[in-house]
Amino acid sequence: MVSESESAFAYHEPSIKTVLTHTGFLLTINILNTSLDKILYCGLIGQLFIGVLWGTPGAQWFDQETERVIQQVGYLGLILLIYEGGLSTSIKSLKANILLSTAVAITGVCGSMGLSFILKELMSATSLQPFAAGAALSATSLGTTFTILSTTQLTTTRLGIVTTSAAMLDDVVGLVMIQIISNLGSADSFSGVAVIRPIFGSIGVAVGLLLLCTFCLQPGLKKLLDCKDTFPAFSKTTNFAFLAQTCVLIGVVTGATYAGTSSLFAAYLAGVIVSWFDGLVAGTKTPLAGLQSSGDHELTSNHRGSARNSRSRCTEDTFSSRAQPRETEITHNDISTGKIIYSKYFDAPVKRVLLPFFFVSHSIRFKKGHINISRHPSDSQSP
């Protein structure tokens, strides 16, 4: 006979101690994060201290299962944060600064590796040890990078674009280095497939999405947008846009992860794709200059009317001037952009719950015997 614990999960009302612990945790990390962001632009430091206080190193108010849930749910916040960075990226600016971003990424990787190998002679270490140290130093913490840029409102500047692009390249390189260290440190033979898979996987995903958007999606989407007036009403709602953009994010991240590349790199590409689609939609919109000029002409002709009909004509002008902004507003908001959808559906949960969970999980240290070493470079980075 199957036991109750195996057949179903029994519901038990949490104790008041658990309720107060979780409530105090959520309130404290948000209050401290907001205060430090207003004063020093470093709210994530407060979240790290709260993780130390509530977690295993400190008062141990959380059990192991709760800490694991915080760690796993917090990673969703990191994915959405990087997705937001992709939404804020301009394709034109990205192309213009790609060489500079590559140079910054190469400098960060080579400089860290070179400094680490200097310690080989000083510490009498093996070649694998400085290589592992250089790999850990060369990888950029994507969560910290995007959080600081968004807090200081530098995401859309040239500095923000170069920094985020270089961080993405470092993330791919870090994933490759993790695979190399894992193979060199194991007792089995060296596997070249595990090393080159992240490289060709990342290049293949980026190039494949570029070709797909340029030669397949762009011609078809332009034809569809030309007859967008015939679309059903539900396709112009924010709910439909939220569902479509979320499917793009999940699909790109899932496909790229199974291909062997970084899920964070894929989340960034998903945001760039949605931003590219928003630009494509904006380019097909009908300009409103003719509508505004006709309204101005009508307003001028009304003022030239006779005194007998001045009151009625002024009334018509009032209704006309009120109707024009409404028509303009409908025209501009007929298709919701990625930034609008993110701000409406994702922004508050990410800032208040998911992202604090991610930074808190960096300060949680599991007890001996429960340590889980992740092979993903962004999971092992400390802010």
Side-chain angles (χ1 to χ4, degrees), residues 50-65:
I50 295 301
V52 173
L53 177 61
W54 255 261
T56 299
Q60 300 184 12
W61 290 331
F62 288 148
D63 55 17
Q64 288 288 314
E65 291 301 323

Side-chain angles (χ1 to χ4, degrees), residues 2-308:
V2 182
S3 62
E4 183 181 355
S5 60
E6 295 178 353
S7 61
F9 179 78
Y11 174 79
H12 297 284
E13 182 180 354
S15 63
I16 186 62
K17 179 181 178 181
T18 302
V19 172
L20 292 177
T21 300
H22 293 176
T23 303
F25 172 71
L26 291 174
L27 289 176
T28 305
I29 58 176
N30 281 282
I31 292 174
L32 192 59
N33 177 56
T34 303
S35 302
L36 291 178
D37 276 343
K38 295 291 185 181
I39 300 174
L40 301 174
Y41 299 100
C42 60
L44 59 91
I45 296 179
Q47 296 169 4
L48 294 175
F49 282 112
I50 295 301
V52 173
L53 177 61
W54 255 261
T56 299
Q60 300 184 12
W61 290 331
F62 288 148
D63 55 17
Q64 288 288 314
E65 291 301 323
T66 303
E67 291 177 348
R68 293 184 187 279
V69 170
I70 290 176
Q71 187 182 56
Q72 295 168 2
V73 174
Y75 192 73
L76 297 178
L78 177 62
I79 291 178
L80 290 173
L81 176 66
I82 295 176
Y83 171 70
E84 182 190 12
L87 292 175
S88 303
T89 301
S90 172
I91 304 296
K92 183 178 180 180
S93 300
L94 185 62
K95 291 180 180 179
N97 297 283
I98 188 63
L99 294 179
L100 181 59
S101 302
T102 305
V104 172
I106 293 175
T107 302
V109 173
C110 295
S112 301
M113 296 296 293
L115 292 175
S116 298
F117 272 95
I118 293 177
L119 300 177
K120 178 182 178 181
E121 301 297 333
L122 299 177
M123 305 297 296
S124 299
T126 62
S127 299
L128 181 60
Q129 291 173 338
F131 182 80
L137 293 174
S138 61
T140 304
S141 178
L142 296 177
T144 305
T145 301
F146 279 94
T147 300
I148 294 176
L149 290 176
S150 61
T151 303
T152 55
Q153 298 180 354
L154 295 175
T155 306
T156 57
T157 62
R158 187 185 183 189
L159 173 63
I161 293 174
V162 171
T163 304
T164 53
S165 302
M168 287 299 161
L169 295 175
D170 286 343
D171 183 63
V172 175
V173 174
L175 183 63
V176 175
M177 290 183 177
I178 291 295
Q179 294 288 353
I180 295 175
I181 295 172
S182 177
N183 280 273
L184 292 177
S186 62
D188 300 334
S189 59
F190 183 83
S191 176
V193 176
V195 175
I196 65 175
R197 182 183 177 186
I199 301 176
F200 288 98
S202 302
I203 297 175
V205 168
V207 175
L209 289 176
L210 176 62
L211 296 177
L212 179 65
C213 293
T214 303
F215 298 103
C216 297
L217 295 181
Q218 185 172 357
L221 289 175
K222 284 185 176 180
K223 292 181 180 179
L224 287 176
L225 292 174
D226 289 338
C227 56
K228 62 182 179 180
D229 294 334
T230 61
F231 288 176
F234 73 89
S235 64
K236 299 180 181 180
T237 61
T238 56
N239 293 331
F240 181 82
F242 163 74
L243 181 61
Q245 294 173 13
T246 304
C247 289
V248 171
L249 173 61
I250 296 175
V252 174
V253 170
T254 303
T257 303
Y258 278 109
T261 186
S262 169
S263 59
L264 304 181
F265 178 64
Y268 182 78
L269 292 179
V272 172
I273 290 174
V274 174
S275 177
W276 165 80
F277 176 76
D278 293 338
L280 192 65
V281 173
T284 59
K285 287 185 177 180
T286 304
L288 302 175
L291 178 63
Q292 295 176 354
S293 61
S294 63
D296 294 339
H297 177 71
E298 182 182 357
L299 184 62
T300 304
S301 62
N302 287 334
H303 281 292
R304 294 178 180 177
S306 61
R308 184 180 59 183

